[in-house]
Amino acid sequence: MMGKRTCSTRAYILLIFLAWVVIQSVGVGQQSFDWPYPAYDLRNTNSSPQNLINKDNVNRLSIAWLYQVPENPYRIPSLAPLQGIETTPLVVNGIVYFATPYNRVIALRADTGHVVWSYQVNMTGFVGKTYWAYVANQKSIWYHSGAVYMMASDCSIHVIEAVSGRPLHVVPGERICEIPGNTGYYWGEQAPIVYKDLVIVRASTAGFGGRGFIAAYSQKDFSLVWRWYSIPPAGGDPEWDFKYVVETGTGIRVGTPVGNVKPYKNDWGVNNLIGGGALWGLIALDEQEGIIYATVGQPSPVYDAALRPGPNLYTMSIVALNALTGDLIWYYQTIPHTLVAVEPGWSVVLAEMDVGGAIRKVVVAAAKSDYIYVLDAKTGQPIYSPIKIGGPSMNIPNLNAGDNADLSLSTDVLVGKTYCPGAQGGVEAPPAYANGMLYVATQRACHRISKGPVFYKGETIEGYISQVDPSIQQNSTLYAIDLKTGRIVWSFEIPNRYQAASVVVSGGVVYAVDRAGILYMVEASSGRLLRRVSLGGLGAAGVSIATDIKGEPVMLVPAGGGELGGTYTPGVIAAFKLTSNTSVEPGITLNELAVLGVVVAASTVGFFLLMRRGKKNSRKNSTKTMAGGHGS
């Protein structure tokens, strides 16, 4: 009898506790909201409609907790230096999810910062994989139906139960990145996208010479449904421009492309050097229409452009693909036959705006060339001429040239010259969009091209090296642009470089984290500085704003986690919450600076020392300066 009574009492207590959890999770009398995707929504707007944290109270934000990220446990010879935490944290049901550059996914409680679980991919298993580029970073993870998705650096896909951290499915990287027609190398950095019963993936390659692709697999058994190729196979294809190619589980499907540049006979030439065209940025998804919008990166810049005559489709382009079939709907090439890596890379934004008195869907892409493209989402036609931001452009042949481009240029014409923006200049971070306004940061960093021996695809060739020109001052500018008119409304100057961290807009505030780890909070309507906080470590990820399990708003900011001159440094996730203190003035808060400084003191040296670190003992590291062109 006593046992039954005790059991009933325990059940009653458990019921009360569960009811309390439910009440707390919705937040009594408060708004409850998540940050469920890398750029907040499927359209990559980086804009949350929440207003609990807003322009009138950001000065009341104080540190609620800090989580020190464990340092990289791996010492893999020839691995490129890690470049900090680059994933904007996801927040779903009061749990924070983020990934480290060394392939660990960590789940934290948003209210306390306590670890719920962590999942580590064993990177030692990557060594010796013939397709791996020996690069490791994580730019995004994905949440879908109670699971977290990550593409590891070796291209393997990991589906992790969001509640427990238990692996639900692991797809070997060989199934993803052993690609027909490829003679180069890949690494994974962007999360898969889940659409209906498909898991859509892509891998990065840049100067490592891999064949660019995007592919969809069945969510049920990860069998290939379709794979679209952005460039021809190594060896070439004389009819490449007159078709697009989709590989399916049963064969090859060929279609007729539609775009802004005329097809060219024998585009790319005939050689085994052909490579590049990675779809390495964030992809926008129109669920209603079943269309994905993406950017396609550079051709491999390591070898002479004269050996790839033609526009080199579909590189340097914005593309629309049927999400269910992989068929190419349209393409828009920004620079035919480019000599330098200034592609529209980091993300595509799908927006709705007034065009000629009618609301239309538009695709917005900000390029490393410092031009912003606004295209009709249905046709790929420009709404107006590209918008120029940033400083003067210099030595970028064929920029916006269309059919007037010189399709036979050799890279030799730039040897010994400086070009601006450089391969790690211009727009090097995802922008934000809200209410017809685009908020975008660009950095002034120019590069100089030299010629010399480069290790490429397993052999040493006479190639090209792009390096930062230190004689030109490096800084950044944050812009607000009215997309209805294409007019710049305001600009805000930043003294440091700006790279990788998403610009975010919410509650009338634009949030921007520069490379020095300074978080700027700027009034969205005017560009006026509201507040700035030093995070004490390298800045490479955007903020996310959500509610915790108690319904209290919290802002999550990652910092640090890079490697400087052989020193492995931990990163930090800082959580800010509103307090009753109204005495905080715009500028660096000394208490916050002191606390954060203790946590990430080892990572305060700066980004440029990291970039100078050399690892030249690898067959792949000899191409790192060119391969890192997309700012990873």
Side-chain angles (χ1 to χ4, degrees), residues 49 79 194 235 277 314 459 461 471 535 622:
L79 183 68
V194 181
Y314 301 96
E459 62 178 324
I461 66 171
S471 68
L535 302 171
S622 57

Side-chain angles (χ1 to χ4, degrees), residues 188-527:
E189 60 178 348
Q190 293 283 15
I193 292 174
V194 181
Y195 173 64
K196 293 190 174 180
D197 61 347
L198 297 179
V199 179
I200 301 172
V201 304
R202 69 278 196 208
S204 294
T205 181
F208 290 101
R211 186 186 186 190
F213 72 93
I214 180 171
Y217 292 82
S218 166
Q219 191 176 16
K220 181 180 179 180
D221 60 6
F222 274 87
S223 58
L224 178 67
V225 177
W226 59 260
R227 182 188 293 120
W228 178 77
Y229 293 103
S230 62
I231 69 170
D237 180 346
E239 299 297 322
W240 181 255
D241 284 17
F242 298 86
K243 62 188 177 184
Y244 63 81
V245 176
V246 179
E247 181 183 359
T248 69
T250 57
I252 300 293
R253 184 171 65 251
V254 175
T256 302
V258 176
N260 67 317
V261 174
K262 293 179 181 178
Y264 183 89
K265 185 73 173 180
N266 200 31
D267 190 3
W268 291 91
V270 181
N271 59 71
N272 286 320
L273 299 172
I274 294 171
L279 289 82
W280 57 264
L282 291 176
I283 292 173
L285 170 62
D286 187 332
E287 285 190 294
Q288 181 181 0
E289 300 294 333
I291 299 174
I292 54 177
Y293 300 94
T295 56
V296 184
Q298 57 179 312
S300 174
V302 173
Y303 71 98
D304 191 358
L307 298 176
R308 48 175 171 85
N312 307 141
L313 294 175
Y314 301 96
T315 63
M316 309 297 290
S317 295
I318 305 157
V319 297
L321 300 173
N322 184 310
L324 293 177
T325 66
D327 289 309
L328 177 65
I329 299 171
W330 55 256
Y331 69 88
Y332 183 91
Q333 191 172 41
T334 61
I335 308 180
H337 191 77
T338 188
L339 305 189
V340 294
V342 289
E343 65 265 41
W346 280 85
S347 75
V348 169
V349 177
L350 178 61
E352 292 186 359
M353 68 179 215
D354 187 332
V355 179
I359 301 299
R360 290 162 62 182
K361 290 181 180 178
V362 297
V363 175
V364 185
K368 290 161 58 177
S369 64
D370 273 344
Y371 277 89
I372 296 169
Y373 300 87
V374 183
L375 311 176
D376 184 281
K378 185 176 181 180
T379 65
Q381 295 298 311
I383 301 298
Y384 40 63
S385 297
I387 305 167
K388 178 69 173 71
I389 60 174
S393 298
M394 179 170 64
N395 290 326
I396 304 180
N398 294 332
L399 178 59
N400 298 320
D403 289 327
N404 296 318
D406 186 338
L407 303 181
S408 60
L409 277 177
S410 167
T411 312
D412 283 343
V413 302
L414 291 183
V415 172
K417 295 181 180 179
T418 295
Y419 66 98
C420 297
Q424 290 177 333
V427 178
E428 278 279 27
Y433 173 82
N435 303 317
M437 299 291 294
L438 187 74
Y439 304 94
V440 59
T442 179
Q443 63 181 0
R444 182 70 170 172
C446 301
H447 278 59
R448 191 172 182 85
I449 290 184
S450 59
K451 193 172 184 178
V454 176
F455 205 86
Y456 180 64
K457 292 194 177 187
E459 62 178 324
T460 301
I461 66 171
E462 186 72 2
Y464 301 85
I465 302 169
S466 178
Q467 295 175 310
V468 171
D469 186 337
S471 68
I472 297 178
Q473 181 182 2
Q474 299 176 24
N475 50 31
S476 305
T477 306
L478 177 66
Y479 290 93
I481 301 169
D482 184 346
L483 287 189
K484 183 177 180 180
T485 63
R487 182 177 64 89
I488 296 173
V489 176
W490 56 255
S491 61
F492 176 82
E493 297 302 319
I494 298 173
N496 307 304
R497 297 251 312 247
Y498 196 100
Q499 188 169 313
S502 296
V503 176
V504 169
V505 60
S506 185
V509 181
V510 179
Y511 299 89
V513 182
D514 72 14
R515 205 62 171 168
I518 298 176
L519 167 61
Y520 296 89
M521 306 177 201
V522 178
E523 188 175 53
S525 60
S526 67

